[in-house]
Amino acid sequence: MLGLVRWSAERKVSLERTRVLGLLVLCVRVPSGGRWEKCRVGRAARLLERQGVRRVLVPRNFVHWDVLAGRGLTGVDVLPLYRTMADRLTLAVLARRGVESRRACVELRGDYVDADMAQAARLLCPRVRSLNIRVDWGGERLARELYWEFGAAPRPEGEADVAVRFDGVGQEGELVLCGSAPELLGLEPKVPGLELPGELEPLPLLTALWQAGRLNLEQMQVSAK
């Protein structure tokens, strides 16, 4: 089950099952502030660990990740959502740069072709002028498959209007969809009309809702922050 840490005005740490936008979570309420806040977070982490929780949603600007990590708890990884939306993020970057997609050259970069890169390539290939594949392994096979499916021959290199990195170390100006610090170039997924709890980090919550089948990609839009 997914865990949820919430600050509370109560005097003791408490645990309850609840729902957030229909998503069932095990919520631990932690009295906030004071010299013992970190100790209370530690108690909350122990309670969640004993219930088999491994991933947690946390309040905005949460600083006690080291305490959670000591109990084997991690946040909800947003990268799977970003990578699944790679084509839409790429098109949004082109739009922000004033480049029409049909005239654009997109370059996909990484050490190797994985499923996420291959999916992005198939979705982008019919929508852009040209697609470059710059990888160390798997690029030729992907290029052949795209040629068979779309009649387009991706190029190994060339000037790109936007570069999308799926692996390795990101560079300035790239749309980085890997590592511990993804870079969306001022963009983020949002769901118009969906009111999220203001105290929680929004993107991990959106990711958890999507992974649980409570949201689908068609509901999401890419907007400026």
Side-chain angles (χ1 to χ4, degrees):
M1 179 178 290
L2 187 65
L4 169 64
V5 176
R6 269 187 167 147
W7 296 128
S8 168
E10 301 170 2
R11 298 183 62 182
K12 295 183 179 180
V13 175
S14 61
L15 191 67
E16 65 175 353
R17 290 175 183 259
T18 187
R19 290 185 180 273
V20 178
L21 298 176
L23 179 66
L24 182 64
V25 297
L26 191 60
C27 176
V28 60
R29 298 183 180 276
V30 183
S32 62
R35 62 185 296 189
W36 302 110
E37 180 180 275
K38 191 168 186 176
C39 291
R40 292 191 291 266
V41 172
R43 172 168 170 72
R46 289 194 298 273
L47 290 174
L48 291 173
E49 179 195 23
R50 289 170 185 168
Q51 295 295 320
V53 171
R54 293 295 177 265
R55 299 188 306 154
V56 293
L57 298 168
V58 299
R60 291 177 184 266
N61 304 313
F62 185 77
V63 297
H64 300 301
W65 284 111
D66 58 330
V67 178
L68 299 185
R71 289 290 171 176
L73 304 176
T74 65
V76 174
D77 187 3
V78 298
L79 268 179
L81 177 62
Y82 292 169
R83 291 169 72 94
T84 300
M85 297 183 68
D87 62 307
R88 294 163 65 180
L89 289 165
T90 301
L91 295 173
V93 172
L94 288 172
R96 290 198 77 186
R97 293 178 177 177
V99 181
E100 185 182 349
S101 61
R102 293 289 184 181
R103 298 177 179 273
C105 174
V106 173
E107 184 165 278
L108 307 184
R109 298 174 179 175
D111 296 332
Y112 57 94
V113 173
D114 62 11
D116 292 325
M117 181 185 286
Q119 173 181 271
R122 287 185 169 86
L123 292 172
L124 287 168
C125 195
R127 303 194 63 178
V128 300
R129 177 176 60 84
S130 61
L131 189 69
N132 300 346
I133 309 294
R134 183 177 291 184
V135 296
D136 296 326
W137 182 83
E140 292 184 0
R141 176 177 178 177
L142 177 58
R144 288 196 302 270
E145 291 174 353
L146 293 176
Y147 181 75
W148 294 334
E149 292 179 37
F150 303 105
R155 300 180 300 175
E157 58 185 13
E159 187 68 26
D161 295 294
V162 59
V164 188
R165 180 163 293 279
F166 287 85
D167 191 59
V169 179
Q171 301 176 20
E172 185 176 357
E174 289 182 335
L175 180 61
V176 181
L177 306 181
C178 59
S180 60
E183 175 54 64
L184 302 191
L185 302 175
L187 301 170
E188 65 179 2
K190 295 181 180 179
V191 178
L194 180 65
E195 187 173 347
L196 301 177
E199 76 274 17
L200 297 180
E201 292 287 354
L203 289 171
L205 177 55
L206 283 180
T207 301
L209 290 168
W210 165 64
Q211 290 174 331
R214 294 284 174 177
L215 287 177
N216 58 58
L217 292 181
E218 287 68 31
Q219 294 173 268
M220 297 190 191
Q221 294 181 5
V222 177
S223 305
K225 288 184 179 179

